Amino acid sequence: TTISQLSWSPDGRSIAYGSRNGVTQMIGAVNATNGSTHCLPFTANGSTPVWTKDGLVYAAGDNSIHISSADGKNSRTLVAKSDGSPAVSRDGHSLAFLKNDLGAEQLWVSTLDGRHPRDVSQLSGMDVQDAAFSPDGTILFVAQGRRDPTFTGAGKSLAMTAMILEAAVLAGAMLALIRRFRVPFGTFALMFGA
């Protein structure tokens, strides 16, 4: 069993944590006074718990972000489609989360109820990981570059299209030179071979 992503409740009485046992993911809670532990069944396949004064925010297994009371009641969806990793500002007004945009993980911020989402990272060719809010409300995150710029299907298609277009332009230029100036074909072997 792997335990990660600890989050204290606002009243300081419990700690929520992400738990993985093989392929099963769930969120659990520990009573801070007596150490008793229990799993929160409504978070099956959930991860990244964040306590707020309004309840427990977590990434659900269906790629959405939910908020719920500690007993699972009053659960509602905040963000219908995300790549998880929610973070909540200290004042409880802003929600940060990851979402794939144009082939890269980007950092999005919305109001806590999920309205008014906006991409705040806009990093080309880089993936955002592990967002957090500082005490003054500044958003902190880790950005990781990719080894291969054609990592995504869209990137690979664009790269192949550019190479084909470049080859067509070079072939057209060679044909124009041969026809216009009657340049012997062997000259191109010298130009491109050198």
Side-chain angles (χ1 to χ4, degrees), residues 168-183 188:
V169 168
L170 284 175
M174 287 175 47
L175 286 173
L177 285 173
I178 290 171
R179 286 189 177 163
R180 174 82 172 125
F181 299 107
R182 301 182 198 274
V183 176
F188 291 107

Side-chain angles (χ1 to χ4, degrees), residues 9-190:
S9 63
D11 62 8
R13 294 182 187 171
S14 63
I15 303 169
Y17 61 90
S19 175
R20 178 180 286 276
N21 186 0
V23 295
T24 305
Q25 229 175 238
M26 188 173 282
I27 295 173
V30 176
N31 184 314
T33 49
N34 65 18
S36 65
T37 302
H38 65 281
C39 288
L40 306 176
F42 62 91
T43 66
N45 294 318
S47 65
T48 323
V50 180
W51 280 113
T52 69
K53 62 181 175 53
D54 297 325
L56 183 67
V57 175
Y58 62 96
D62 63 353
N63 293 331
S64 62
I65 296 176
H66 291 259
I67 188 167
S68 175
S69 57
D71 59 5
K73 296 179 181 174
N74 305 320
S75 181
R76 67 184 193 276
T77 302
L78 300 176
V79 178
K81 184 171 166 88
S82 80
D83 293 332
S85 297
V88 177
S89 62
R90 287 210 177 186
D91 63 9
H93 296 302
S94 298
L95 170 68
F97 57 94
L98 300 182
K99 184 175 178 181
N100 194 303
D101 187 28
L102 298 174
E105 294 288 333
Q106 299 297 318
L107 178 63
W108 290 70
V109 174
S110 69
T111 54
L112 185 59
D113 59 7
R115 293 185 301 167
H116 312 294
R118 64 191 189 286
D119 182 354
V120 297
S121 57
Q122 299 180 357
L123 298 172
S124 178
M126 298 183 84
D127 287 325
V128 173
Q129 300 174 345
D130 303 323
F133 284 93
S134 69
D136 69 357
T138 304
I139 302 169
L140 308 171
F141 61 90
V142 175
Q144 180 180 9
R146 294 191 176 144
R147 285 183 245 127
D148 184 347
T150 60
F151 180 73
T152 64
K156 191 167 259 182
S157 296
L158 289 172
M160 292 300 293
T161 302
M163 290 184 345
I164 291 169
L165 184 60
E166 184 180 10
V169 168
L170 284 175
M174 287 175 47
L175 286 173
L177 285 173
I178 290 171
R179 286 189 177 163
R180 174 82 172 125
F181 299 107
R182 301 182 198 274
V183 176
F185 190 72
T187 304
F188 291 107
L190 289 175

